[in-house]
Amino acid sequence: MGLGFAIIIGMVLWAIVDLVLGARKRRNSLSISRHSTTEKIDFIADGEDFFEMLLKDVDAAERHIHMMFYIFRDDETGLRVIDHLCEKASQGVRVIVLADLAGSHGLKKKTIQRMTASGVRFSYSRKIYFPRIFTTLNERNHRKITIIDGKIGYIGGFNAGNEYAGKDPKFGYWRDYHLRVIGEAVNDLQHQFLVDWQAENEVIDDHIYTPLPTGNHASVKFHITNGSGGEESFSSYIDGATSSIVIGTPYYIPGRMVQNSLLNAIKRGVSVILILPMKADHPLVKEASFHYLVELIQAGGKVYQYMNGFYHAKVMIIDDRICDIGTANFDQRSFHINGEINCILECPEVLKTIKKVIKMDLLQSERLDLDRLKKRTIGNRLLDPIARLLSPFL
């Protein structure tokens, strides 16, 4: 009993020291903003459309395909993507796939072997190392990036799996937001992919030619974080809002800085609308959000819960002018732990399309009021303090 207790205490102390040192290191890491231009931006909000468009571009690749997902499933949809990648690799196209170790742990060994046998270079991102086991397990690469021939880039919320194609009966229809980008800005996505690949693998001596944009083009900014800078970025945009803020996120655990920015915006007379899923896909995330939602609603914010399946979109629109779409959720994990990438754009035509989809999503949502929050079950109330304690890791 004495030895066992000592081992447990030792493990707990090891975990605490490891996690504290990891958090300190992340706070000192730099967030990066890259400004560029695009020839064209396509907004995608439907899983079937996303995979059809992605695989069409994959099939047309002539030189290389670089693909990174947080979740790569060994299911019908994931294997469909892998089939196309293997086919292109067998044709001599350079195919490199990067998948987060924790998010994609379900990939079977034989699937990975099939990829490598076809010529696909595959690696897990954010591998777990001793003695920093707890920190390296906790710090995930949540980015989703695809680059094709240095000309076409994808960034957003979709992963490669059945649920994202709306084929998982547990979730039903899956609502997500993604961007397809053509032009100079693809170079920035390429650069980040190579940074993430080379963190775990060999350095790739690559000279990518991205055509300069012709004709009309829009400016974009990619904001890249690895556990710091995300919270400050969101707050700065919120603090600058003068008329309206629309936020869509599957998880709302913003922390005090972002929450206070939203509450102050409401005091200034800014309209604040929040879209969340009705159902949760992870335990405790709803319970961890309750006290933030109560504050927001009491202050005058409007909260809607999406009813038509699962809402996984990550979006923020400021004053109907600035739009942020990417991989970061409005939660502590995205702000302080994960590797994320978001695209900030000011393109009226694209924004018009995005707003039209958001309007449709609101029509398929139910407004949340304080009475419904107060009717939470006893079980939910008992879980509140636990969820709040664990909220930095949810």
Side-chain angles (χ1 to χ4, degrees):
M1 177 66 75
L3 178 60
F5 182 73
I7 291 174
I8 292 172
I9 293 298
M11 291 289 290
V12 170
L13 290 175
W14 177 15
I16 291 172
V17 172
D18 188 10
L19 291 171
V20 168
L21 292 177
R24 184 180 299 173
K25 183 179 179 181
R26 290 193 301 274
R27 283 195 296 270
N28 293 328
S29 68
L30 297 176
S31 60
I32 300 169
S33 291
R34 300 186 181 279
H35 298 260
S36 192
T37 59
T38 66
E39 288 184 47
K40 185 181 180 184
I41 302 174
D42 291 311
F43 173 65
I44 313 163
D46 177 84
E48 289 188 6
D49 291 344
F50 169 70
F51 288 108
E52 181 179 346
M53 192 175 294
L54 175 69
L55 294 179
K56 183 178 180 181
D57 286 334
V58 165
D59 290 344
E62 298 177 347
R63 298 172 56 208
H64 73 262
I65 301 163
H66 295 167
M67 183 177 288
M68 169 166 51
F69 283 115
Y70 171 64
I71 295 175
F72 221 128
R73 298 246 190 253
D74 210 312
D75 59 17
E76 177 188 350
T77 301
L79 292 175
R80 179 185 172 204
V81 175
I82 288 170
D83 287 344
H84 285 254
L85 295 176
C86 289
E87 176 63 25
K88 295 306 294 186
S90 67
Q91 295 172 7
V93 173
R94 187 182 71 183
V95 179
I96 304 179
V97 175
L98 192 59
D100 182 81
L101 178 61
S104 303
H105 68 276
L107 273 177
K108 296 175 183 175
K109 187 176 181 179
K110 67 178 183 180
T111 300
I112 297 172
Q113 289 173 340
R114 180 163 73 89
M115 281 194 281
T116 55
S118 298
V120 176
R121 277 195 268 181
F122 174 86
S123 175
Y124 282 115
S125 183
R126 304 284 175 101
K127 296 171 184 175
I128 300 169
Y129 298 104
F130 180 86
R132 299 182 62 246
I133 291 175
F134 300 98
T135 290
T136 53
L137 179 62
N138 192 35
E139 294 176 345
R140 307 320 316 154
N141 190 340
H142 198 237
R143 290 185 267 271
K144 299 99 177 170
I145 299 172
T146 296
I147 308 99
I148 297 169
D149 288 341
K151 300 177 182 179
I152 301 170
Y154 286 84
I155 172 180
F158 283 109
N159 285 294
N162 279 345
E163 65 267 49
Y164 301 93
K167 295 180 179 180
D168 187 335
K170 177 183 176 183
F171 297 107
Y173 182 74
W174 189 278
R175 175 61 98 195
D176 227 321
Y177 295 172
H178 220 92
L179 298 175
R180 177 181 182 267
V181 180
I182 297 176
E184 269 188 317
V186 177
N187 222 19
D188 294 330
L189 297 177
Q190 183 82 279
H191 177 82
Q192 187 55 46
F193 178 91
L194 295 178
V195 167
D196 285 325
W197 173 266
Q198 290 164 182
E200 304 285 351
N201 302 280
E202 77 280 2
V203 174
I204 299 174
D205 183 17
D206 214 343
H207 302 283
I208 303 302
Y209 172 70
T210 304
L212 293 174
T214 57
N216 295 326
H217 59 270
S219 62
V220 298
K221 178 173 75 173
F222 293 110
H223 191 237
I224 301 148
T225 61
N226 288 289
S228 71
E231 188 176 46
E232 292 81 2
S233 177
F234 280 114
S235 284
S236 67
Y237 283 109
I238 292 168
D239 291 341
T242 59
S243 59
S244 64
I245 300 169
V246 178
I247 295 168
T249 178
Y251 320 115
Y252 186 73
I253 313 171
R256 287 315 328 164
M257 178 185 288
V258 174
Q259 180 78 350
N260 287 341
S261 288
L262 286 168
L263 295 177
N264 289 332
I266 294 172
K267 289 179 183 177
R268 297 196 307 269
V270 175
S271 165
V272 173
I273 293 176
L274 176 64
I275 310 173
L276 300 169
M278 176 62 76
K279 61 179 74 175
D281 67 334
H282 292 298
L284 298 179
V285 291
K286 271 196 169 185
E287 289 79 8
S289 70
F290 280 140
H291 69 287
Y292 292 114
L293 296 177
V294 168
E295 280 187 343
L296 201 66
I297 294 171
Q298 286 178 332
K302 297 177 182 177
V303 179
Y304 293 86
Q305 292 181 302
Y306 185 73
M307 306 285 289
N308 186 37
F310 187 71
Y311 189 85
H312 191 251
K314 306 127 186 354
V315 63
M316 182 171 71
I317 297 178
I318 303 291
D319 295 338
D320 287 333
R321 183 175 61 85
I322 301 171
C323 181
D324 183 311
I325 287 179
T327 67
N329 300 306
F330 263 69
D331 64 8
Q332 296 302 286
R333 173 162 283 282
S334 283
F335 292 160
H336 299 298
I337 300 176
N338 286 345
E340 308 282 3
I341 181 167
N342 280 42
C343 180
I344 297 93
L345 56 95
E346 297 183 49
C347 180
E349 286 303 310
V350 178
L351 196 56
K352 183 178 179 181
T353 302
I354 296 170
K355 286 168 60 181
K356 186 181 296 184
V357 171
I358 289 175
K359 184 177 180 180
M360 184 167 59
D361 290 345
L362 286 170
L363 290 174
Q364 299 180 90
S365 301
E366 182 177 299
R367 187 169 173 181
L368 179 64
D369 56 32
L370 289 176
D371 287 339
R372 279 180 52 204
L373 282 175
K374 291 175 181 177
K375 290 178 182 177
R376 284 176 289 156
T377 65
I378 294 176
N380 281 336
R381 293 175 186 274
L382 291 175
L383 287 173
D384 275 7
I386 300 173
R388 294 178 72 170
L389 179 66
L390 296 176
S391 62
F393 303 101
L394 296 178

